[in-house]
């Protein structure tokens, strides 16, 4: 249970405060309600590019890191298909420094051709190194558009094409900033050794004068139900053959989300999980195998992936994975097996409450979902899941017509089926 107070500034900035006086540190987390799903199909990768540009300095503070380091602070950020999140941790005695830096770049980010050139080059190099020149690096560049045909989840956070970043102009980035980097599209969470009244004073002092602007109303096309199996096979410079099967699943706010998440743990969490025991440990047929949920706000993907050993033909490997999925469809999960993954989920959530950064990020994320109080109900949602829930969901999700299969064949190891 995370206790917090909430207030909203006149400009629409939502502020949440969690007091934790067991530490001498504070965390200032600011989430902007913008991710890759908000991009135009012909200008993708901008949310991630902006994450980099935000560290290029503001009009008043050309070097963002220097003053933060002087007061013992650290910072970082991440972008997803749904959100962009920035955070600072620092001694609570120096809390105001974080307010100064975050408000200053929200109000007046420095837009210069030099900064844009530098960050455009950095992101382009990241695209090449992580997605184009690394074995299996282009998995999501292939799997997303295979699974999604309408929803903007069809491109990865890095972008759909390298040229979208390479051709980004100053006009493009200014328009993106003006549209999304506004106080009424942000959530500020302050956690740690802080006082709520002091946070309110600092929030009004540093953010209160930043003008609100018209907030964009999302009009994201929803992905239609998939009814036919999709498949792509690639011969690539990869070490070994590999297979990825993606299924559409419920969105983050669905009552079935917890069941889907637990189902992925039953299949793949730890050495006692079903996939590991059946396909790696007891009868070595795969070198590795995993199952996971993408965790998206809108409709999710449930992904099963594996690398079969060299003596296992891909057709057999695929059948082995489907056999494990079908077992979930045929009978409810045993109570002891379900309790085991529930306990792991519960311990993970409890452990997260020991970190002020985790608490701040969780409060911000659940607030963007609709209400930060939802986080305090999460454990109970998982504990309420039954074996019958998982069986029902498995029968809904694990059907051929709902599958998108991506296969990599290592060039030096082509199988003839």
């Amino acid at each position: 249970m995370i206790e917090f107070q909430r207030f909203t500034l006149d400009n629409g900035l939502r502020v949440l405060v969690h007091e934790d006086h067991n530490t001498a540190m504070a965390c200032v987390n600011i989430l902007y309600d913008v991710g890759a799903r908000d991009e135009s199909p012909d200008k993708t990768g901008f949310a991630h590019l902006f994450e980099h540009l935000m560290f290029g300095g503001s009009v008043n503070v050309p070097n963002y890191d220097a003053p933060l380091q002087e007061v013992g602070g650290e910072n970082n950020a991440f972008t997803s298909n749904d959100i962009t999140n920035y955070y600072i941790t620092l001694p609570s005695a120096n809390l105001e420094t974080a307010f100064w830096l975050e408000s200053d770049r929200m109000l007046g980010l420095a837009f210069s051709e030099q900064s844009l050139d530098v960050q455009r080059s950095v992101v382009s190099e990241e695209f090449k190194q992580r997605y184009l020149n690394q074995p299996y690096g282009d998995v999501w560049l292939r799997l997303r558009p295979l699974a999604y045909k309408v929803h903007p989840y069809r491109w990865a956070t890095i972008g759909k094409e390298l040229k979208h970043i390479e051709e980004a102009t100053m006009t493009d980035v200014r328009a993106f900033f003006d549209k999304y980097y506004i106080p009424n599209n942000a959530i500020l969470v302050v956690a740690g050794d802080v006082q709520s009244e002091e946070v309110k004073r600092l929030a009004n002092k540093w953010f209160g004068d930043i003008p609100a602007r018209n907030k964009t109303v999302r009009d994201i096309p929803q992905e239609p139900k998939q009814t036919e199996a999709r498949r792509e096979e690639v011969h690539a410079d990869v070490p070994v053959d590999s297979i990825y099967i993606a299924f559409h699943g419920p969105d983050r706010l669905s009552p079935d989300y917890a069941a889907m998440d637990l189902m992925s743990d039953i299949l793949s969490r730890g050495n006692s999980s079903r996939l590991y025991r059946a396909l790696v440990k007891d009868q070595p047929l795969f070198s590795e195998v995993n199952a996971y949920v993408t965790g998206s706000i809108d409709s999710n993907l449930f992904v099963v992936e594996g690398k079969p050993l060299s003596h296992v033909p891909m057709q057999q490997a695929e059948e082995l994975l489907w056999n494990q999925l079908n077992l979930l469809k045929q009978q409810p999960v045993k109570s002891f097996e379900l309790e085991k993954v529930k306990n792991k989920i519960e311990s993970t959530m409890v452990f997260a409450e020991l970190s002020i950064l985790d608490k701040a990020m969780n409060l911000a994320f659940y607030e963007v979902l609709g209400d930060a109080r939802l986080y305090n109900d999460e454990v109970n949602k998982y504990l309420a899941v039954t074996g019958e829930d998982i069986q029902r969901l498995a029968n809904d999700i694990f059907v051929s017509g709902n599958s998108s299969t991506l296969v990599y064949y290592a060039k030096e190891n082509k199988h003839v089926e």
Side-chain angles (χ1 to χ4, degrees):
M1 173 78 67
I2 305 178
E3 296 182 353
F4 64 92
Q5 294 187 38
R6 179 200 286 117
F7 59 91
T8 303
L9 301 188
D10 291 342
N11 58 14
L13 177 67
R14 284 174 280 173
V15 184
L16 281 66
V17 186
H18 166 70
E19 296 187 20
D20 180 354
H21 302 292
N22 294 314
T23 176
M25 302 296 287
C27 175
V28 175
N29 187 95
I30 188 160
L31 180 154
Y32 289 93
D33 188 7
V34 57
R37 66 175 175 167
D38 297 296
E39 298 163 347
S40 170
D42 59 347
K43 292 180 180 179
T44 63
F46 273 59
H48 178 248
L49 174 62
F50 239 91
E51 176 199 324
H52 286 258
L53 286 170
M54 284 286 278
F55 290 99
S58 66
V59 173
N60 301 307
V61 188
N63 187 337
Y64 178 87
D65 288 325
L68 188 59
Q69 290 171 353
E70 288 177 5
V71 298
E74 297 180 346
N75 70 91
N76 213 327
F78 64 86
T79 311
S80 75
N81 287 79
D82 298 309
I83 63 170
T84 309
N85 193 82
Y86 302 85
Y87 58 87
I88 292 173
T89 54
L90 76 175
S92 59
N94 300 322
L95 179 64
E96 191 162 7
T97 299
F99 275 80
W100 164 50
L101 290 172
E102 287 296 350
S103 65
D104 198 59
R105 63 180 178 176
M106 180 190 285
L107 175 64
L109 187 67
F111 289 99
S112 69
E113 289 292 349
Q114 180 182 5
S115 176
L116 178 56
D117 286 344
V118 169
Q119 299 307 328
R120 192 166 43 202
S121 176
V122 169
V123 175
S124 294
E125 189 61 27
E126 180 183 348
F127 197 117
K128 294 173 185 175
Q129 291 298 320
R130 292 182 57 188
Y131 295 85
L132 301 183
N133 300 331
Q134 183 172 298
Y136 317 107
D138 62 348
V139 164
W140 289 107
L141 300 182
R142 295 180 180 277
L143 192 57
R144 282 189 176 275
L146 189 63
Y148 293 104
K149 299 303 180 183
V150 174
H151 195 286
Y153 284 163
R154 64 185 183 273
W155 56 81
T157 305
I158 194 69
K160 185 164 60 174
E161 300 176 43
L162 179 59
K163 72 174 184 177
H164 289 179
I165 298 302
E166 293 176 331
E167 296 174 359
T169 67
M170 183 61 72
T171 300
D172 293 332
V173 298
R174 278 186 177 275
F176 193 89
F177 181 82
D178 290 341
K179 188 174 183 180
Y180 295 110
Y181 278 72
I182 55 179
N184 45 319
N185 195 49
I187 298 166
L188 173 66
V189 181
V190 183
D193 187 24
V194 299
Q195 299 289 341
S196 296
E197 287 303 313
E198 176 65 4
V199 171
K200 183 178 291 187
R201 184 187 72 82
L202 291 173
N204 277 291
K205 175 182 177 180
W206 289 104
F207 289 92
D209 292 337
I210 301 176
R213 293 192 291 273
N214 290 332
K215 185 175 178 179
T216 301
V217 177
R218 280 196 177 95
D219 185 21
I220 295 177
Q222 294 305 299
E223 188 70 20
K225 182 178 177 64
Q226 183 179 340
T227 58
E228 294 184 356
R230 299 167 186 161
R231 189 178 191 88
E232 180 179 349
E233 298 186 353
V234 183
H235 294 276
D237 289 320
V238 293
V240 295
D241 296 351
S242 187
I243 181 172
Y244 303 79
I245 311 175
F247 303 89
H248 290 281
D251 62 74
R252 192 62 182 75
L253 288 173
S254 167
D256 281 330
Y257 180 84
M260 178 174 63
D261 198 18
L262 285 171
M263 189 159 59
S264 71
D265 285 356
I266 289 168
L267 286 172
S268 181
R269 186 167 184 171
N271 291 347
S272 62
S273 63
R274 289 191 177 192
L275 291 177
Y276 183 85
R277 282 190 292 107
L279 304 179
V280 177
K281 182 181 178 181
D282 295 347
Q283 190 176 5
L285 297 165
F286 283 74
S287 60
E288 61 180 84
V289 63
N290 295 289
Y292 52 89
V293 177
T294 51
S296 306
I297 290 179
D298 294 337
S299 63
N300 274 278
L301 290 183
F302 188 109
V303 182
V304 181
E305 63 177 55
K307 293 178 173 58
L309 296 176
S310 58
H311 68 278
V312 180
M314 184 56 71
Q315 181 178 343
Q316 180 187 353
E318 192 169 349
E319 290 173 355
L320 289 167
L321 294 178
W322 273 99
N323 288 343
Q324 292 299 314
L325 300 181
N326 288 330
L327 286 175
L328 285 170
K329 297 163 64 174
Q330 292 163 7
Q331 57 187 10
V333 176
K334 299 293 185 183
S335 59
F336 76 89
E337 189 178 16
L338 184 55
E339 286 303 313
K340 179 180 65 177
V341 291
K342 284 182 179 180
N343 290 339
K344 288 182 178 179
I345 286 283
E346 187 174 15
S347 64
T348 298
M349 291 183 176
V350 171
F351 185 75
E353 294 186 19
L354 300 177
S355 162
I356 57 171
L357 174 58
D358 285 345
K359 286 187 283 189
M361 288 195 295
N362 281 326
L363 286 175
F365 181 68
Y366 280 83
E367 183 69 10
V368 85
L369 284 179
D371 187 342
R373 289 174 297 185
L374 292 169
Y375 178 78
N376 291 328
D377 297 331
E378 278 295 274
V379 169
N380 290 332
K381 290 179 181 178
Y382 281 85
L383 295 181
V385 173
T386 67
E388 288 75 18
D389 290 332
I390 290 179
Q391 182 182 19
R392 170 182 53 80
L393 195 60
N395 277 281
D396 287 344
I397 293 177
F398 300 139
V399 294
S400 177
N402 189 40
S403 68
S404 298
T405 304
L406 173 63
V407 176
Y408 283 84
Y409 289 112
K411 283 186 176 179
E412 68 278 12
N413 186 29
K414 295 181 183 179
H415 284 304
V416 178
E417 304 292 358

